[in-house]
Amino acid sequence: MFLYLLLIIGLILLGLLYHYLPSKRIFFFFCLTLLAAGSIAFFFWPVKAPEPAAMTEEELNYQTEQQQIFATWYASYQKDLSELDRNWQWYHNILENFKEDNISIQTTYVRLKQLEQDSQLLRDRINHHAPPLALNDGCYDLLIEVMKKTNAYAEAQYRTIALTKAAADPANLRTTDQAEQSRMLQAIMIREQPVGLYTAKEIAAIRDYLDIQQDTPAENKETK
């Protein structure tokens, strides 16, 4: 209402100006200047974004429920990632100790055999770690993609450990030279090791969708 009043007053003032100005050309240029200034103000004046509509109690309850479902699943998933990291670090530690001749090939084989069993159990557990069905379709589809990547990574990690264990079996070794044996095991690791597990994009999309604040920077860490 106030804007309409200002518009009426402005038109009245322009009418008076038109009537009393001795030169209509001056009035014409004044109007052009006024129009140009108004156009600039219209296009460059910052526009305040409309406030988002407040969520209803039902929508808020649903959002909270979805957040809790994801948080419970994600906490369990992070434990799987921690075990993947632990297994991979232990694998590198075994090969490094053998390379430095701190352990024998027999000890290397025994440790790799145990690690292979642990890795297989973890791979199978991850394979059954399905996203919760109660999660909304958009987030569920993103978690399906996360688990595809994670399953592929766990399978590749298990395969690398299993092949290295088989190669370290003293019954199958073709050489007794420790340095040559180490180079052989290192070559398997380099050739077979999995690529990094990159799921930050999907997890970030879910967090944004559910409006979950990220607690720690460590949650963006990728499994290598």
Side-chain angles (χ1 to χ4, degrees), residues 126-145:
I126 289 175
N127 190 48
H128 290 90
H129 195 178
L133 294 174
L135 205 58
N136 69 69
D137 291 344
C139 295
Y140 182 87
D141 290 343
L142 287 168
L143 285 189
I144 287 292
E145 186 63 27

Side-chain angles (χ1 to χ4, degrees), residues 33-90:
T33 303
L34 193 63
L35 182 61
S39 299
I40 293 172
F42 177 78
F43 285 108
F44 293 100
W45 192 267
V47 179
K48 185 178 180 181
E51 294 290 334
M55 297 178 67
T56 66
E57 184 176 353
E58 182 179 355
E59 290 172 333
L60 185 59
N61 289 338
Y62 177 76
Q63 184 85 343
T64 302
E65 179 185 282
Q66 291 288 297
Q67 290 174 349
Q68 291 173 347
I69 292 171
F70 171 73
T72 300
W73 182 91
Y74 190 58
S76 178
Y77 175 72
Q78 283 187 306
K79 292 180 181 178
D80 292 341
L81 294 186
S82 296
E83 289 198 38
L84 284 171
D85 276 339
R86 182 193 67 83
N87 286 349
W88 200 236
Q89 290 170 13
W90 182 229

Side-chain angles (χ1 to χ4, degrees), residues 123-190:
R123 178 201 64 178
D124 294 343
R125 191 177 79 207
I126 289 175
N127 190 48
H128 290 90
H129 195 178
L133 294 174
L135 205 58
N136 69 69
D137 291 344
C139 295
Y140 182 87
D141 290 343
L142 287 168
L143 285 189
I144 287 292
E145 186 63 27
V146 168
M147 291 315 301
K148 284 181 181 178
K149 293 181 178 181
T150 308
N151 283 322
Y153 180 89
E155 176 62 36
Q157 188 181 99
Y158 165 72
R159 172 181 168 82
T160 304
I161 294 170
L163 289 173
T164 309
K165 184 267 298 184
D169 188 346
N172 299 327
L173 287 170
R174 298 180 180 179
T175 177
T176 58
D177 183 74
Q178 188 273 344
E180 182 62 27
Q181 291 171 348
S182 177
R183 283 193 292 270
M184 180 181 63
L185 299 185
Q186 292 285 337
I188 294 174
M189 177 194 69
I190 294 171

